[in-house]
Amino acid sequence: MAFWSGTVASKVPRKILFMFTLSLSVTYLFYSLMSCYNSLQFPLQDNFAYQARSAGTEETSLAREQLSSTSPGFDGGSTVPLSIVDRQQGGDHAGTRRASPTTDSGRPRPATEGDLRVNCTSDYGEKKLPQAIIIGVKKGGTRALLEALRVHPDVRAVGNEPHFFDRNYERGLDWYRELMPSTLEGQITMEKTPSYFVTNQAPKRIHTMARDIKLIIVVRNPVTRAISDYTQTLSKKPEIPTFEVLAFKNRTLGLIDASWSALRIGIYALHLESWMQYFPLSQMHFVSGERLIVDPAGEMAKVQDFLGLKRIVTDKHFYFNKTKGFPCLKKPEDSSTPRCLGKSKGRTHPRIEPDVIRRLHKFYKPFNMMFYQMTGQNFQWEQQEESISRGSLV
């Protein structure tokens, strides 16, 4: 056998052996690069977001432009609605270090394939835990706010809702970090999951991760919010009872069923108390869902100030869509025909009996007053009863 092998090898030209070896090397290199492909991100940020940059920072802005991401499903030639509804940096916090994955009991979580995966984007930024989170509220306008913030070149955000602090906490912080986009120095990592605001464990869990994190809460008239919530559920489950049936324990006695999630979410003061046990108001910013419609640039200015960002997203980025009934984000002039986000935005509310509206306003009023006092802001929801009775857009 050795003699035969030597004889055959002597007959094989060295050139063929060289080409065979080279082919194996190239194949190995190809598969090595492919293992990193899913981690590489080279999306382009909208050019108009950088026109406000000064000449002295053009090179830095251009680099960030190559690396800033856009939302999954955010059509490059579309516009994003700034509807108030929704389909729903700190020094030494966990965002600057690798935290050991743990379970709720505090025990180390077994390593998974995701934990062992090499981060191939280190040359283009670093995956960090978020420095700011939009924590609520459902059907308040969180999607609109997030999409407007993502226009800013110094904001990198996850498009989908991670639901880490309410549904996936046992997966560990390393899993959570891997969901985040890579950021450059000076950029803010963000995510939004509206259900955090009403999740009892979320305040403590987020505080454990980063006690100096910034929290954004988009609030809306709780009566409108409840009807919007019901409208969304109705679109998926047409067989559910009427709003009036679900809202009352006893319609004759006027007993409101506060256990119904659509109504309970709107008791903002109750949920805010849980957050104030762990975070000062200085780390929270409350966005008015109503003002986000009538004055999107004004609300965005306040949010950018809160996050310590330059006011790049201004009134020039918005236009009012008459069909939808709310503002949309403009896109660059060279993009395709603009449109607003999804058919799920702009559903017409079912007409709710005026008596039910009045009873709900009466129910929420003391909680609203408490919320105004806690936040130091008057959202003037009591003045909107008549317009809600006539029906509005989600």
Side-chain angles (χ1 to χ4, degrees):
M1 178 63 69
F3 171 79
W4 181 86
S5 300
T7 303
V8 173
S10 64
K11 294 181 179 181
V12 178
R14 292 184 177 181
K15 185 175 182 181
I16 295 178
L17 288 175
F18 172 76
M19 293 300 295
F20 178 72
T21 302
L22 180 61
S23 175
L24 288 177
S25 300
V26 171
T27 301
Y28 174 78
L29 178 60
F30 172 77
Y31 281 104
S32 298
L33 291 175
M34 285 299 293
S35 67
C36 297
Y37 178 78
N38 290 333
S39 300
L40 292 173
Q41 300 182 20
F42 301 97
L44 297 178
Q45 179 71 22
D46 303 330
N47 292 332
F48 66 80
Y50 292 85
Q51 294 174 356
R53 293 285 188 174
S54 61
T57 60
E58 286 182 356
E59 293 183 0
T60 302
S61 298
L62 182 59
R64 287 178 178 172
E65 179 178 357
Q66 299 296 324
L67 296 163
S68 296
S69 72
T70 55
S71 168
F74 183 90
D75 186 16
S78 68
T79 58
V80 180
L82 197 60
S83 163
I84 65 169
V85 298
D86 206 295
R87 258 188 115 82
Q88 350 216 297
Q89 304 315 128
D92 67 335
H93 60 73
T96 61
R97 62 183 183 275
R98 297 292 288 187
S100 299
T102 60
T103 64
D104 265 347
S105 63
R107 297 179 180 179
R109 176 179 57 79
T112 64
E113 181 180 352
D115 298 326
L116 302 177
R117 185 175 57 197
V118 177
N119 182 1
C120 300
T121 63
S122 57
D123 293 337
Y124 305 96
E126 180 182 357
K127 287 181 178 289
K128 298 180 181 179
L129 294 170
Q131 295 89 50
I133 303 179
I134 301 174
I135 61 173
V137 299
K138 179 185 179 184
K139 307 307 295 180
T142 57
R143 171 58 60 184
L145 176 64
L146 181 69
E147 296 302 342
L149 276 171
R150 296 180 81 178
V151 172
H152 201 293
D154 289 334
V155 172
R156 299 295 310 283
V158 181
N160 297 326
E161 297 174 3
H163 284 282
F164 175 65
F165 296 102
D166 58 351
R167 302 178 187 172
N168 296 298
Y169 194 64
E170 73 284 352
R171 293 176 178 265
L173 287 174
D174 281 354
W175 177 87
Y176 185 46
R177 190 199 311 269
E178 282 301 310
L179 298 180
M180 301 298 126
S182 297
T183 54
L184 298 174
E185 185 67 27
Q187 291 182 320
I188 295 176
T189 302
M190 292 188 65
E191 70 117 317
K192 76 106 177 170
T193 304
S195 55
Y196 290 164
F197 188 64
V198 297
T199 300
N200 293 332
Q201 302 90 341
K204 181 179 180 180
R205 291 173 174 177
I206 294 178
H207 184 266
T208 299
M209 179 190 73
R211 64 180 59 189
D212 55 355
I213 198 166
K214 294 184 177 181
L215 306 171
I216 300 175
I217 305 100
V218 189
V219 290
R220 181 187 190 185
N221 187 314
V223 178
T224 316
R225 199 222 65 81
I227 299 173
S228 179
D229 198 336
Y230 171 79
T231 303
Q232 176 177 291
T233 304
L234 183 65
S235 68
K236 300 175 182 178
K237 301 178 180 179
E239 72 280 1
I240 63 173
T242 65
F243 182 89
E244 290 81 355
V245 170
L246 294 172
F248 290 94
K249 288 183 177 180
N250 188 311
R251 177 72 182 276
T252 303
L253 299 177
L255 297 179
I256 302 295
D257 187 359
S259 65
W260 182 31
S261 63
L263 297 184
R264 187 172 179 80
I265 291 174
I267 309 176
Y268 303 139
L270 174 67
H271 307 300
L272 182 58
E273 283 183 343
S274 300
W275 291 91
M276 292 182 69
Q277 293 179 22
Y278 293 92
F279 299 98
L281 279 175
S282 60
Q283 287 176 227
M284 303 182 200
H285 180 73
F286 300 89
V287 177
S288 167
E290 286 79 13
R291 289 197 294 269
L292 198 55
I293 280 186
V294 299
D295 183 20
E299 286 300 296
M300 285 304 302
K302 297 175 186 176
V303 174
Q304 290 172 94
D305 290 347
F306 172 70
L307 295 175
L309 299 170
K310 184 176 180 180
R311 290 188 179 184
I312 290 179
V313 185
T314 62
D315 55 0
K316 68 181 180 181
H317 294 105
F318 302 97
Y319 81 96
F320 190 83
N321 184 291
K322 295 181 179 180
T323 302
K324 285 284 186 179
F326 45 71
C328 295
L329 279 171
K330 294 180 180 177
K331 298 294 288 179
E333 294 180 359
D334 58 352
S335 66
S336 60
T337 304
R339 65 177 178 83
C340 281
L341 249 191
K343 296 179 180 180
S344 64
K345 310 299 180 181
R347 296 191 190 99
T348 301
H349 285 176
R351 186 181 183 280
I352 308 299
E353 296 177 23
D355 178 63
V356 174
I357 299 294
R358 286 192 293 269
R359 288 177 182 268
L360 286 176
H361 271 285
K362 183 178 180 180
F363 167 77
Y364 279 119
K365 186 173 182 178
F367 298 110
N368 291 345
M369 295 299 105
M370 188 183 303
F371 185 67
Y372 298 167
Q373 186 176 25
M374 294 170 72
T375 61
Q377 300 180 49
N378 187 341
F379 294 91
Q380 301 180 335
W381 292 322
E382 288 65 38
Q383 301 177 15
Q384 301 173 20
E385 180 176 344
E386 182 179 351
S387 61
I388 296 175
S389 299
R390 293 195 302 264
S392 60
L393 291 178
V394 175

